[in-house]
Amino acid sequence: MNNFDLIVFDWDGTLVDSTAHIAKSIQKAYADNDLPVPNEADSKHVIGLGLVDTFNYLSPDLTKEQHQGIVNRYRHHFLEADKTIHSFKNVLEGLQDLSQKNYFLAVATGKSREGLNRALTKVNFGHLFVVTRCADEGLPKPNPDMLHFIMDDVGVTPERTVMIGDTTHDLLLAQNAGAQGIGVTYGAHEKDKLIALNPITCVDSFAELTTWLLKNG
């Protein structure tokens, strides 16, 4: 018998290799607006948050006009190279294996609905998810709102749910929703920061994640 019924994945840095591109787009957006450019560590730290929280964290004193200017240029730079973003190795095969074991698969992401819908058209595994939830459809990570929505939609309790992601925001989301969390170390946040939040495991590749879930999930 499975320990979990519902497996929820973050998108950027967990399923698709986009963290470096996101961080560079943030930095370019600040440069375009003649504002101090965040360093790489801070630019990666905010990956997974909604755009409002992202720029409030990086620059809490921005004016409304500055905030909008950064958002506009960030979107420009992200879309400019969006076609170069690909899923991590073994994601399709892993998701197929998990789906065949009758897990419900879902996505909880800091992307906007427009952004996720666009991303789903570029991959060949979107049909495997029973539900997806985005930051602009409720409260963003680490608030438990999006995970509560997914669990309610599928009809699965927190005890039977696991959230998988590459950031502390994902693991805090799991904790705040009463679910379990698994960290992946190949994305935005460093392994020691993930381990500090006591996930049930941390894995170094999607193939390792799939193997662990098929054995222990």
Side-chain angles (χ1 to χ4, degrees):
M1 179 179 176
N2 295 342
N3 290 315
F4 302 111
D5 298 313
L6 172 60
I7 303 174
V8 185
F9 296 90
D10 169 58
W11 189 265
D12 292 300
T14 300
L15 297 175
V16 299
D17 188 6
S18 53
T19 56
H21 178 48
I22 292 172
K24 288 184 182 299
S25 296
I26 290 172
Q27 292 176 314
K28 289 178 180 179
Y30 273 82
D32 289 350
N33 283 274
D34 297 320
L35 291 167
V37 176
N39 61 37
E40 182 180 3
D42 285 342
S43 297
K44 285 187 174 181
H45 174 78
V46 295
I47 292 174
L49 301 175
L51 278 184
V52 172
D53 288 343
T54 289
F55 297 119
N56 283 344
Y57 174 89
L58 292 172
S59 303
D61 297 325
L62 288 176
T63 66
K64 184 177 180 180
E65 291 74 19
Q66 288 173 323
H67 185 280
Q68 190 58 53
I70 292 174
V71 168
N72 290 343
R73 294 307 294 170
Y74 167 78
R75 287 175 171 157
H76 166 80
H77 289 297
F78 185 85
L79 291 173
E80 194 174 48
D82 190 32
K83 60 182 178 293
T84 67
I85 296 174
H86 303 287
S87 61
F88 287 106
K89 185 178 180 181
N90 300 124
V91 167
L92 172 62
E93 297 83 356
L95 293 175
Q96 287 175 330
D97 288 345
L98 294 169
S99 180
Q100 289 169 4
K101 293 295 184 180
N102 297 319
Y103 292 106
F104 294 114
L105 306 182
V107 170
T109 176
K111 300 180 85 66
S112 67
R113 170 52 60 186
E114 179 183 358
L116 180 61
N117 285 348
R118 183 176 59 250
L120 286 168
T121 67
K122 300 177 183 298
V123 298
N124 53 0
F125 49 78
H127 63 286
L128 297 173
F129 301 117
V130 297
V131 60
T132 61
R133 191 69 169 172
C134 300
D136 60 350
E137 296 174 319
L139 298 173
K141 302 172 186 178
N143 188 287
D145 177 73
M146 67 171 67
L147 199 49
H148 282 160
F149 176 89
I150 291 171
M151 293 187 293
D152 290 345
D153 187 80
V154 179
V156 174
T157 64
E159 295 78 14
R160 303 287 298 172
T161 300
V162 61
M163 174 72 205
I164 299 167
D166 66 308
T167 72
T168 55
H169 316 307
D170 299 309
L171 298 183
L172 287 170
L173 168 63
Q175 289 182 6
N176 292 338
Q180 296 282 1
I182 293 176
V184 301
T185 64
Y186 50 81
H189 288 190
E190 296 174 354
K191 186 174 184 176
D192 61 333
K193 293 180 180 178
L194 300 175
I195 290 175
L197 290 173
N198 299 312
I200 51 177
T201 190
C202 278
V203 297
D204 299 327
S205 69
F206 202 88
E208 183 182 348
L209 172 64
T210 303
T211 299
W212 190 95
L213 287 169
L214 291 173
K215 180 180 179 181
N216 303 288

